[in-house]
Amino acid sequence: MKINKTLTYAVLASVSMGFIQKSEPTLKDAFKQDFYVGAALNGRQISGQDSKATALIKQQFNTISPENLLKWGPVHPQPDTYNFKPADDYVKFGQDNKMFIVGHTLMWHQQTPKWVFEDAAGNPVSREVLLKRLEDHINTVVGRYKGKIGGWDVVNEAIDDQQGDLRKTKWLEILGEDFAVKAFEYAHKADPKAELYYNDYSLYRPEKRAGTIKLVKSLQAKGIKVAAIGMQGHYGLTKPSIEQIEESIVAFSKLGVKVNFTELDIDVLPNPSRRQGADIAETFATDAKYNVYTTGLPDSVQQQLTKRYADLFALFRKHRNVIDRITLWGVTDNDSWLNDWPIKGRTSYPLLFDRSYQPKPALQAVLQTTKNKM
């Protein structure tokens, strides 16, 4: 795709106080006939401590996801303790701004407290005890936001990176292979009208694609409706290829489910990981060769980022009949988890808005894709 540089950079001249002027289309308006466009929100944005980001969110997006505040650890840290204030504020923000609100996530092997899987002596609990804890958690959390949160990432990252088998987790070890069935059943019971999703990263890889198809088919065979598969879009400048991503969109859509992109960002920095993905357990020591743009992004890399986002959104529009939602994993570069993964303290540039709340050239390129006839 050839980028018109005059158009691409013109948006920067129309910025006032860090936001696009009203004469420029917003993401939510530009794609309103195609799909929702949203962002993952952090605690500072929800609590009102980052007013510039809050204004940007209201202006640009029509769906929101919670980055961390509805994961088990933050919302249910102790057996008899729930921390609902941040989640309540998050849901209210979405309601006040008439946004589609997503819940993330009910079952995950990360950020789940040890007590969930252990008894008072630190020994593994029985299947029955863990099922009861899971049901109580889902019933309490999903039930609290029944009719308010429109869709839930019920199970997150349950497929192994290498072979596409079920990931070896405490959920699988204690509950057995029907752990996902139980989570979806409990979620549906808690809110029968909510959309229920399976969410994972690196789903462009054939092995993970096949494992996910197998998992979703097993749920469907039990009469469970999976509304969508969430493809976490944690991508690089060149990998995966557009063709690889498209293959998974097509394959998943044949299951009769929607295919949403739930955690989109583009890592422009050298990655020490052998895999392009989002395994938060895979971290590395500080090394300057993986943090190469500490004073700003070179124009040549900015152009690569611009083209990458344009190519991705062109793909999304091509398959808009099966895509309901595109969610960026953060609002500005300053918010991104990639500043601290897989190496802490990096200066990362993965999103459409920079650290000064300014739109990047990539934003205008993304908006331009709506002008392409399909």
Side-chain angles (χ1 to χ4, degrees), residues 25-36:
T26 63
L27 287 164
K28 65 183 180 183
D29 290 335
F31 293 97
K32 65 183 178 182
Q33 300 300 321
D34 301 324
F35 35 67
Y36 289 116

Side-chain angles (χ1 to χ4, degrees), residues 164-211:
D165 298 325
L166 292 175
R167 184 188 291 271
K168 302 299 187 288
T169 68
K170 293 292 184 182
W171 294 113
L172 176 62
E173 179 183 329
I174 298 173
L175 297 183
E177 293 190 359
D178 66 341
F179 66 91
V181 171
K182 293 300 183 182
F184 273 85
E185 287 178 347
Y186 297 153
H188 178 69
K189 184 179 179 181
D191 188 351
K193 293 184 178 180
E195 295 181 350
L196 306 182
Y197 315 128
Y198 175 71
N199 192 57
D200 212 331
Y201 63 87
S202 297
L203 292 184
Y204 64 87
R205 298 181 66 237
E207 300 87 352
K208 289 200 78 167
R209 179 196 309 146

Side-chain angles (χ1 to χ4, degrees), residues 125-282:
V125 295
S126 66
R127 170 182 162 89
E128 291 70 28
V129 168
L130 185 54
L131 282 176
K132 182 67 166 57
R133 289 177 178 176
L134 177 64
E135 183 175 20
D136 287 347
H137 174 82
I138 290 177
N139 189 55
T140 301
V141 176
V142 176
R144 184 179 183 89
Y145 304 112
K146 181 179 180 180
K148 298 177 181 179
I149 287 182
W152 283 92
D153 289 332
V154 179
V155 178
N156 196 49
E157 301 175 4
I159 303 299
D160 178 75
D161 282 2
Q162 301 302 312
Q163 303 300 323
D165 298 325
L166 292 175
R167 184 188 291 271
K168 302 299 187 288
T169 68
K170 293 292 184 182
W171 294 113
L172 176 62
E173 179 183 329
I174 298 173
L175 297 183
E177 293 190 359
D178 66 341
F179 66 91
V181 171
K182 293 300 183 182
F184 273 85
E185 287 178 347
Y186 297 153
H188 178 69
K189 184 179 179 181
D191 188 351
K193 293 184 178 180
E195 295 181 350
L196 306 182
Y197 315 128
Y198 175 71
N199 192 57
D200 212 331
Y201 63 87
S202 297
L203 292 184
Y204 64 87
R205 298 181 66 237
E207 300 87 352
K208 289 200 78 167
R209 179 196 309 146
T212 299
I213 289 172
K214 182 179 179 181
L215 174 62
V216 172
K217 282 185 173 180
S218 72
L219 292 167
Q220 292 173 330
K222 295 284 197 301
I224 293 168
K225 182 178 180 181
V226 179
I229 293 173
M231 291 182 64
Q232 296 181 21
H234 297 298
Y235 299 147
L237 286 171
T238 60
K239 296 180 181 179
S241 69
I242 294 297
E243 291 74 21
Q244 287 175 307
I245 299 168
E246 185 170 31
E247 286 173 6
S248 287
I249 295 174
V250 172
F252 292 149
S253 68
K254 290 179 180 178
L255 295 171
V257 304
K258 294 290 185 177
V259 184
N260 296 331
F261 286 80
T262 55
E263 304 184 18
L264 181 62
D265 50 30
I266 309 300
D267 193 354
V268 303
L269 298 177
N271 192 337
S273 172
R274 291 168 294 133
R275 301 194 294 272
Q276 184 73 49
D279 185 353
I280 68 169
E282 189 171 17

Side-chain angles (χ1 to χ4, degrees), residues 2 27 51 72 105 130 165 201 243 252 306 351 353 366:
K2 187 176 181 181
L27 287 164
S51 59
W72 196 314
T105 175
L130 185 54
D165 298 325
Y201 63 87
E243 291 74 21
F252 292 149
T306 298
L351 298 168
F353 295 89
V366 164

